[in-house]
Amino acid sequence: MPRDGETTESPALTPVRVRWRRQELLLTDGTYLLGRDSSCHILLEDARISRRHARISVDGSLVFVEDLGSMNGILVNGTRVRERRALFDGDWVTIGGEELELCIGEGGRQRHKTDTLDELSPIPPSSRKEADRRISEPPEAEETTQRTRSLEILANIADQALGAGRTNDAADLLKTTLLDVLQEATDGIGVEDETRLFCLNYALKLSSVTTKPKWLDYAVDLLRVTGSSCDADLARQLSAAYRAHPKADLGRLDAWANSLLNAEDEEARASAGRAAQIGVDVRRSRR
């Protein structure tokens, strides 16, 4: 009991954060669903991740993770977890191709104080009952919502990094999503136009601020495997990019142009001509 005139203070809450792709997501008490469905609190974009893959529960400094019957499971510090498992500061949770580090208290902040791109103030949690209700509902038929939201977050943070001249940070943040989308397209999985344009746009942005041609090569590979056309504006962007990267592989450009020649519609053949002309002009400038 406090003496007269004294007040009591609630003990300071121990901050709990999940570090993911060099972001720190602040978790307050409650339940968080992780997966690809738009009902999840933390959206993870990877074909190996189930729509509702895992659940993290926070109660003060006590944190637990639980697999929700996913096909590919979860790993904690490299070990497959099949039952509800307590997590501690510094533990790594692997879900599909995504890795999340748990930071409890100030230890995690000190470990990464110079290596964090952005901090997102707290993600609103759900009660256990509400989380169970979300899990019981059928997932949305369309998966564009969660990917769109993920891309919006990535775009915001990547733009901040690029604006501050932190090119490597932006590339580290974007590369998993960009490479996953290219792999999906290569495997014949349909890629939404919005996603394709996002990847193309940021690959060309990275290409314009780096000395190595790998992001230009990526952009042309993406155009080829998605059967994308080449309008006049894109042709100008690619021409400028190839001139800025004299070691970029023109064979990729040729392969894209040749793939468009096989199309039946007139616009695709016009695109093939524009793409081929880029190669002609660039080779002439390299002599």
Side-chain angles (χ1 to χ4, degrees):
M1 295 288 292
R3 297 189 182 92
D4 290 344
E6 291 184 342
T7 58
T8 58
E9 293 184 359
S10 347
L13 293 175
T14 303
V16 175
R17 293 175 173 83
V18 166
R19 183 174 167 78
W20 170 58
R21 295 194 185 182
R22 304 181 73 183
Q23 307 169 55
E24 288 191 356
L25 311 178
L26 179 61
L27 306 185
T28 55
D29 284 7
T31 299
Y32 301 85
L33 301 180
L34 294 81
R36 292 187 295 115
D37 191 72
S38 62
S39 64
C40 292
H41 302 82
I42 300 176
L43 295 168
L44 302 175
E45 195 60 55
D46 184 308
R48 293 164 289 182
I49 295 175
S50 298
R51 292 188 176 188
R52 291 159 187 161
H53 196 109
R55 166 167 43 203
I56 288 179
S57 304
V58 179
D59 182 5
S61 61
L62 300 178
V63 185
F64 297 88
V65 68
E66 180 182 0
D67 184 7
L68 295 176
S70 66
M71 180 166 295
N72 293 314
I74 60 176
L75 305 178
V76 174
N77 301 326
T79 300
R80 179 77 178 259
V81 172
R82 302 184 186 279
E83 298 179 351
R84 190 169 185 253
R85 159 79 179 265
L87 296 176
F88 302 95
D89 181 46
D91 280 351
W92 285 87
V93 178
T94 304
I95 301 178
E98 301 284 2
E99 293 189 332
L100 302 90
E101 181 186 4
L102 188 70
C103 301
I104 302 177
E106 294 304 316
R109 299 289 286 169
Q110 292 301 314
R111 286 197 298 276
H112 301 297
K113 62 183 179 180
T114 61
D115 191 33
T116 298
L117 287 180
D118 194 25
E119 179 174 328
L120 304 181
S121 289
I123 299 175
S126 291
S127 65
R128 177 81 181 208
K129 183 177 179 180
E130 168 63 14
D132 287 341
R133 183 191 66 78
R134 293 191 188 191
I135 293 169
S136 69
E137 290 181 343
E140 291 188 356
E142 295 295 331
E143 296 190 5
T144 55
T145 302
Q146 67 267 21
R147 173 162 265 177
T148 298
R149 287 170 60 188
S150 297
L151 295 182
E152 287 173 352
I153 292 171
L154 283 176
N156 181 51
I157 301 171
D159 285 342
Q160 290 181 35
L162 289 169
R166 301 198 307 271
T167 304
N168 290 338
D169 289 343
D172 287 344
L173 178 71
L174 291 162
K175 67 181 180 183
T176 298
T177 295
L178 268 59
L179 293 175
D180 282 351
V181 169
L182 179 61
Q183 187 61 55
E184 287 177 18
T186 302
D187 291 343
I189 300 172
V191 174
E192 295 287 335
D193 282 345
E194 184 177 19
T195 300
R196 176 182 59 82
L197 291 173
F198 171 91
C199 294
L200 177 62
N201 178 41
Y202 277 95
L204 291 174
K205 280 188 178 182
L206 291 172
S207 171
S208 71
V209 293
T210 56
T211 57
K212 294 182 179 178
K214 66 178 182 180
W215 290 115
L216 175 55
D217 291 342
Y218 168 94
V220 176
D221 285 346
L222 181 66
L223 290 166
R224 176 179 55 79
V225 298
T226 55
S228 300
S229 60
C230 181
D231 61 23
D233 183 57
L234 178 58
R236 283 191 293 270
Q237 291 184 67
L238 291 173
S239 293
Y242 272 107
R243 285 181 169 82
H245 292 284
K247 293 185 179 179
D249 182 8
L250 286 169
R252 286 179 157 89
L253 183 68
D254 296 338
W256 175 40
N258 289 335
S259 69
L260 292 172
L261 279 175
N262 298 324
E264 295 181 358
D265 62 285
E266 187 175 337
E267 175 54 34
R269 289 193 294 272
S271 292
R274 293 187 193 101
Q277 190 60 47
I278 296 168
V280 171
D281 294 343
V282 172
R283 286 185 172 92
R284 185 181 298 127
S285 69
R286 288 181 179 181
R287 289 174 184 164

